[in-house]
Amino acid sequence: MVNGKGEAPVYVSYFVNGKTVERSTEVFVPVTQWDEKSQKAFGFRDAARTNSRLASIKRGYDMAVAQYDGRVNAEILRKLLDREIVSGRPNPTKADVIRYALDYNQKRYEILKIGYSTYYNAKLYLNKFKKFIKLTYGEATIPIAGMSLELLDQYKLYRLKEIGRESLNKELTPIIKALTLAVLSGLIDAAKFGNLNDLYIGQPRSYCEGVEDREIHYLTKEQMKGFVDYYKKAKYNRTREFMDMFLFAFHACGLRVSDVATLEWKHIDFEKQRMEKVLVKGKNFHEIHLNQYALAILYKWKAMNRNPRFVFDLLPVDFKIEADGDREEADKRLKMIIASKNRTIQQSLKEIGIKLDLDFSLSMHVARHTFAIWALNDRDISLHLVSRMLGHKSIESTDD
């Protein structure tokens, strides 16, 4: 059934014993922008995200059917798709906690809850925990029911010998996320761990002034003035170009380096003084007003005519950002090329920071922190507004 917007719901169809069993995905797609042959949406802003969501829903239905160990007919299939019956699954409390956490991390990535970097790093962190489990118990697995505060405390002491508090808290995050899900699913007694946020070491980091945090660095207004003054003193044009990117990231509401690199001219509306693009991390649509300083940088680069597609000429014109099929592989490719470009930018900014006598290493992310801190310390700007300007999906990310 087509709605008033010309959209129709997408259904998943199965055929068994000559009968069709359908279930709605509750995802609506414009009928004129659905490719029947490839079974994919196309031609609109959120097409890639829509296709990813549909693929995730389809995988969920497929898993429900694949895990059934009996004979399937149309009636059984309907109940499987509706989750009325579940068979062939092991006791969830005996499931390996590492596998459980990895599966949850994969699911969050597939439904676009997290970006590729977070997804990739979580896998690395969980692998470190897996090595600790093997070193402690002789086996690389432990059931969810076997998790305890004592075990986590042992792991913290083990890792603190090599890394600092903030780094350890990052490594603990995918474990705590999985434990939170296990508690909500009734696999672990909530009383066993108490407040799961207490599993972190120390207090959550904050962007507010007066809070000490070795990981959070930003420029004061005086330091920013020194950075701007150095612009004319820079020996090489390439150094000034990297400084343009840093200043644009700051003035464009703390844009990440991945979004600076993937910024296209089609994302800029000079007449309305706006930027509209889908952010690389989180894949959420982001729209901001561009101030006079950000616009001045854009006009300068427009006049340079370096790249007809990408504003700061960090990616080749024909670079494919969206996946043709394997989204994870596309995200990995984009991450690698941005990391390569970012290393060069960071080295240049680091040298500028040394010349400015900063007591920390200057990087593109400092521009994001600087915008966040300046905005949060402006009494007329709320945390919700700063969160929106940063492109966060929730204020928890900003408040962290």
Side-chain angles (χ1 to χ4, degrees), residues 48-329:
R49 184 172 184 171
T50 298
N51 288 330
S52 180
R53 183 181 175 191
L54 289 171
S56 179
I57 293 171
K58 174 67 162 52
R59 274 192 293 273
Y61 282 139
D62 288 346
M63 286 180 64
V65 177
Q67 290 172 339
Y68 184 70
D69 56 4
R71 187 174 180 179
V72 177
N73 56 31
E75 183 59 29
I76 292 295
L77 182 58
R78 291 188 187 96
K79 291 183 178 181
L80 285 169
L81 298 181
D82 293 335
R83 307 299 196 273
E84 292 181 13
I85 57 173
V86 180
S87 180
R89 296 182 182 179
N91 184 339
T93 61
K94 295 183 179 180
D96 172 37
V97 71
I98 305 296
R99 183 71 264 163
Y100 183 82
L102 285 169
D103 288 345
Y104 183 44
N105 183 53
Q106 179 74 33
K107 182 177 180 180
R108 296 181 75 220
Y109 173 70
E110 289 177 351
I111 64 174
L112 306 177
K113 185 72 174 177
I114 56 176
Y116 179 76
S117 294
T118 302
Y119 161 75
Y120 177 78
N121 289 334
K123 291 201 296 184
L124 295 180
Y125 300 154
L126 289 169
N127 190 49
K128 292 180 186 296
F129 185 54
K130 183 177 181 178
K131 290 180 179 178
F132 167 76
I133 295 297
K134 185 173 183 178
L135 183 66
T136 304
Y137 294 100
E139 296 183 1
T141 62
I142 185 170
I144 293 175
M147 289 294 294
S148 66
L149 284 174
E150 291 73 22
L151 175 62
L152 286 172
D153 285 341
Q154 289 177 39
Y155 181 62
K156 292 175 192 176
L157 291 173
Y158 169 75
R159 292 297 292 146
L160 280 172
K161 294 177 182 177
E162 300 180 16
I163 59 177
R165 185 202 70 179
E166 285 297 324
S167 297
L168 177 55
N169 280 340
K170 290 178 182 178
E171 292 190 7
L172 289 172
T173 295
I175 302 172
I176 294 174
K177 291 284 186 185
L179 291 177
T180 301
L181 177 64
V183 168
L184 293 174
S185 302
L187 304 182
I188 300 177
D189 185 358
K192 188 174 184 180
F193 291 97
N195 185 348
L196 286 164
N197 281 329
D198 289 342
L199 297 179
Y200 289 107
I201 299 177
Q203 297 299 315
R205 69 182 187 179
S206 172
Y207 282 120
C208 300
E209 278 187 351
V211 177
E212 293 183 4
D213 193 312
R214 298 176 186 175
E215 296 288 326
I216 304 300
H217 301 302
Y218 63 96
L219 297 181
T220 63
K221 296 192 186 244
E222 184 179 352
Q223 289 169 335
M224 180 63 87
K225 183 180 182 302
F227 182 87
V228 174
D229 289 344
Y230 182 79
Y231 190 90
K232 292 182 179 179
K233 302 175 187 177
K235 186 176 180 180
Y236 303 105
N237 285 333
R238 192 57 173 157
T239 301
R240 281 187 284 273
E241 290 176 2
F242 292 149
M243 294 180 76
D244 280 340
M245 296 174 200
F246 180 94
L247 289 169
F248 181 81
F250 167 74
H251 287 296
C253 301
L255 213 58
R256 292 185 178 91
V257 66
S258 57
D259 292 304
V260 170
T262 57
L263 184 66
E264 301 183 41
W265 291 112
K266 68 179 183 180
H267 298 146
I268 308 299
D269 188 327
F270 285 99
E271 184 177 345
K272 294 182 179 179
Q273 300 183 352
R274 301 197 71 76
M275 182 196 83
E276 298 179 357
K277 82 183 293 285
V278 174
L279 299 179
V280 173
K281 183 177 181 179
K283 301 294 188 292
N284 52 309
F285 178 70
H286 191 50
E287 180 180 11
I288 60 168
H289 172 76
L290 296 169
N291 64 26
Q292 59 177 320
Y293 304 107
L295 287 168
I297 293 171
L298 290 174
Y299 278 120
K300 172 187 172 182
W301 280 77
K302 191 74 171 175
M304 289 164 60
N305 196 28
R306 290 267 292 274
N307 190 313
R309 181 184 172 195
F310 294 103
V311 173
F312 293 105
D313 195 28
L314 292 174
L315 298 175
V317 177
D318 59 351
F319 186 83
K320 289 186 177 181
I321 295 176
E322 293 190 357
D324 291 329
D326 191 337
R327 175 172 164 257
E328 182 176 341
E329 183 59 34

